Amino acid sequence: SQGASGTVYAAKDKRTGERRALKIAPVSELADLTNEIGLQSLSDHEGIVRIYEAYVTSSEVRLGGLLLLAAQA
């Protein structure tokens, strides 16, 4: 799904088997994402995505976080 900055994908952590959210954005958006990375890495609330890992390459920023799934009706 396309967000305000970058695109979010459902992914699987190969180390743990847990489902995760993977956000990928152009490195040009790093300044905008810095605040998001800081706040979400400190969050511990069921309604806020928690960031576990962040990687920056020469072309993109990758954020790995908790995957929140909508409840099935």
Side-chain angles (χ1 to χ4, degrees), residues 3-62:
S5 57
T7 304
V8 179
Y9 302 93
K12 185 176 184 179
D13 187 322
K14 290 182 179 181
R15 297 168 296 182
T16 66
E18 294 177 309
R19 295 181 68 189
R20 296 279 185 226
L22 175 62
K23 182 176 203 173
I24 301 176
V27 74
S28 61
E29 296 181 15
L30 180 59
D32 296 333
L33 292 170
T34 301
N35 192 40
E36 178 180 346
I37 293 167
L39 290 173
Q40 291 181 343
S41 65
L42 297 173
S43 70
D44 189 20
H45 185 276
E46 64 186 38
I48 300 174
V49 174
R50 181 172 182 149
I51 302 272
Y52 292 101
E53 300 173 297
Y55 300 96
V56 179
T57 70
S58 60
S59 61
E60 63 189 19
V61 179
R62 292 179 175 233

